[in-house]
Amino acid sequence: MSAPKVITVAVTGLNATDSPAPGVPVIRAIRDAFGDRVRIVGLAYDTLDPGNFLPGLADHVYIMPYPSQGSEVLITRLLAIHDEVAIDVLIPTLDAELPSIIKAVDRLHEAGIRTFLPDEDMLRLRDKVRLHELDAKFGIRVPKGVVISDPADIARLDQELEFPVMVKGQFYEAYIAYSPMDVHAHFEKLRAKWGVPIIVQRYVPGEEYDVVLVGDGEGGLVGSVAMRKMQLTDKGKAWGGVTISDAKLDQYVRHAVAALKWRGPCEMEVMKSASGYHLIEINPRFPAWVYLSVGARRNLPAAVVRLALGEAVEAMPPASPGVMFLRYAYDQICDMEEYAALTTVGQLHRDRSEGDPS
Amino acid sequence: MPTVDYLALSDNGFLFDTRNGNTYNLSKTGTFILRSLVEGVAPDAVAARIVEHFDIEAATAEQDAAQFLFRLKDMGLIGGDLGDEVNS
């Protein structure tokens, strides 16, 4: 199937604060690749998401209901937007919306919205609460982990893990704990914020590397870019980084992608220790630093658009090392009328083509 | 001859280890020594090359080169093979 002359790509997650969503860099990457041949629909969860207002970013912006309102509400809204702007490809970028969207993929495809995403089984496999199973099932080395929902289980942790350990929330945040008392404190903090279960993982000392990649769903790697963080925010997010070239890391990642038959984008967080590489986490979507892939001449978001459209994409060789990025804060002057439109009717249209609903 | 093709060294002494993203600033002499290795000079010939380019005694050059190469090895920037040659 060949791509339509002008394709319409919808991208979620336009937050761009100090813990940014990946939507803005994904859109920049797609614009770089497709230029005038793409129309961008930004799907935002907040009227004040900075990506809503960036000049030249989205042709249309729609406010979405929070995924916590339920799958049906989210998909109904998506289909209603599709009726207005005819979405060719949808790229979701947020963890919270992925289960709902992946569950509704057939419905979306029937409506004409194409995606290139992992299936429900893949999504479950990489779930933090099951990550420790990957070693036995697929031979992917991961730190030993224990899932706890009851704080009473903390007393028995030392039977399975040596301290220190990492205590992780089921969605976000991780803390190092040197004793059961530390685990208790972090458990309560994480339970209050993200609910249970909490994951307690063997601490792997070493250097962390992050790899953004696209898998073809048949065990092959379409492309990948490995990065070492150079600057962190106080939330541990990358504020600067550089591409690296490590043949053994590349081999490890290829093995993981092949074993999982990963389909679509993801970010693998890998710890390199004296005993080798350990997979710490798989985030089943592009990371916020994905624009580095464009700098490294491996435009992975554009590859996903093409794959979603059914086009063949040739496997890319590993990216060159030494390509750096630094994120910066920027005071964007915004149009009050645009803010008013998003606040009152939940949509904003800047499209220049015919048939625009604005 | 050990390979150091994973090290990117600029003329002003900025060193980038492409395997892990670490960066270093080298002194003029350090840059000269590492550049020599990158260009394929054998480790035991580095000292003589230093004497040719800098106005110092051979014994001092040998000591400086050995110390610097040991440091590079200790930091994991050059491999065991090279270290063995240096130490031999």
Side-chain angles (χ1 to χ4, degrees):
Chain A
M1 187 192 298
S2 61
K5 200 177 173 190
V6 174
I7 53 169
T8 300
V9 180
V11 180
T12 67
L14 302 187
N15 181 24
T17 54
D18 63 339
S19 183
V24 169
V26 166
I27 293 171
R28 286 181 67 205
I30 293 168
R31 283 230 179 267
D32 282 2
F34 293 91
D36 290 341
R37 293 179 294 115
V38 69
R39 186 171 64 147
I40 297 290
V41 180
L43 303 175
Y45 287 96
D46 196 299
T47 51
L48 283 175
D49 281 351
N52 300 348
F53 302 96
L54 282 178
L57 195 77
D59 298 302
H60 307 272
V61 178
Y62 288 91
I63 302 299
M64 298 288 287
Y66 281 110
S68 57
Q69 290 182 36
S71 182
E72 192 52 38
V73 176
L74 186 76
I75 302 302
T76 301
R77 174 68 169 151
L78 255 179
L79 293 172
I81 294 167
H82 178 55
D83 282 344
E84 290 189 17
V85 288
I87 297 166
D88 292 305
V89 176
L90 168 68
I91 301 185
T93 70
L94 302 176
D95 293 334
E97 66 197 5
L98 278 168
S100 297
I101 289 173
I102 288 173
K103 206 172 174 183
V105 151
D106 289 343
R107 218 169 130 195
L108 296 174
H109 286 194
E110 274 170 33
I113 302 175
R114 283 158 283 191
T115 60
F116 197 72
L117 295 168
D119 62 24
E120 286 184 275
D121 286 343
M122 285 182 214
L123 197 66
R124 272 194 292 270
L125 273 173
R126 49 61 51 193
D127 196 307
K128 274 188 197 177
V129 301
R130 293 186 60 189
L131 192 75
H132 58 278
E133 297 173 17
L134 295 184
D135 204 340
K137 282 185 180 163
F138 300 103
I140 302 168
R141 195 186 287 178
V142 291
K144 189 177 179 189
V146 176
V147 177
I148 52 175
S149 299
D150 183 347
D153 294 336
I154 294 171
R156 289 188 289 276
L157 269 179
D158 59 359
Q159 292 169 16
E160 300 198 52
L161 297 171
E162 277 179 35
F163 283 88
V165 294
M166 293 302 294
V167 187
K168 295 183 163 187
Q170 59 173 325
F171 296 119
Y172 301 104
E173 290 188 49
Y175 299 96
I176 189 165
Y178 295 92
S179 67
M181 274 178 63
D182 283 352
V183 177
H184 262 291
H186 297 316
F187 179 93
E188 294 303 339
K189 195 163 38 186
L190 292 167
R191 176 164 69 173
K193 217 163 171 184
W194 306 112
V196 289
I198 305 295
I199 301 98
V200 184
Q201 219 174 44
R202 183 170 76 87
Y203 173 71
V204 180
E207 290 178 342
E208 184 188 322
Y209 298 96
D210 300 302
V211 184
V212 59
L213 63 90
V214 176
D216 66 8
E218 292 169 7
L221 186 64
V222 177
S224 69
V225 176
M227 182 270 287
R228 167 89 183 271
K229 291 174 186 172
M230 296 173 81
Q231 266 192 321
L232 296 176
T233 66
D234 56 0
K235 290 175 182 166
K237 303 289 176 188
W239 198 257
V242 62
T243 59
I244 59 139
S245 172
D246 179 335
K248 286 180 183 165
L249 175 64
D250 186 55
Q251 205 177 355
Y252 177 85
V253 165
R254 281 176 192 277
H255 167 66
V257 169
L260 296 168
K261 290 192 165 48
W262 189 265
R263 187 174 194 269
C266 81
E267 178 194 32
M268 289 190 181
E269 297 178 8
V270 180
M271 197 64 90
K272 182 183 179 183
S273 73
S275 60
Y277 297 90
H278 294 78
L279 186 61
I280 302 298
E281 212 164 299
I282 302 178
N283 296 313
R285 36 83 189 158
F286 284 122
W289 56 271
V290 66
Y291 194 74
L292 182 63
S293 77
V294 179
R297 305 173 76 84
R298 305 284 181 272
N299 193 328
L300 298 178
V304 164
V305 170
R306 293 192 172 103
L307 289 163
L309 289 169
E311 296 177 15
V313 176
E314 220 169 284
M316 307 173 201
S320 301
V323 180
M324 251 176 83
F325 84 94
L326 285 176
R327 197 166 279 162
Y328 66 98
Y330 182 86
D331 295 346
Q332 174 67 46
I333 302 302
C334 304
D335 186 339
M336 193 67 180
E337 283 185 20
E338 291 191 340
Y339 177 58
L342 288 171
T343 310
T344 53
V345 291
Q347 51 188 279
L348 172 64
H349 304 283
R350 303 189 184 102
D351 197 78
R352 65 266 182 203
S353 61
E354 288 182 12
D356 175 52
S358 60
Chain B
M1 178 61 58
T3 175
V4 285
D5 59 2
Y6 48 83
L7 297 178
L9 179 64
S10 71
D11 291 341
N12 58 8
F14 181 80
L15 174 63
F16 173 58
D17 186 339
T18 63
R19 301 168 302 173
N20 54 29
N22 288 338
T23 59
Y24 309 84
N25 286 321
L26 303 188
S27 66
K28 193 176 171 187
T29 315
T31 306
F32 179 83
I33 294 172
L34 192 54
R35 173 71 64 208
S36 300
L37 296 179
V38 170
E39 288 170 359
V41 174
D44 56 8
V46 168
R49 209 168 183 231
I50 294 174
V51 173
E52 279 173 27
H53 282 78
F54 300 94
D55 186 21
I56 59 165
E57 298 289 326
T60 309
E62 276 168 23
Q63 192 181 359
D64 287 354
Q67 280 183 356
F68 184 71
L69 292 170
F70 181 81
R71 186 82 197 278
L72 292 180
K73 186 192 170 197
D74 191 46
M75 295 172 80
L77 284 162
I78 55 178
D81 292 341
L82 180 58
D84 293 338
E85 291 172 41
V86 171
N87 293 333
S88 61

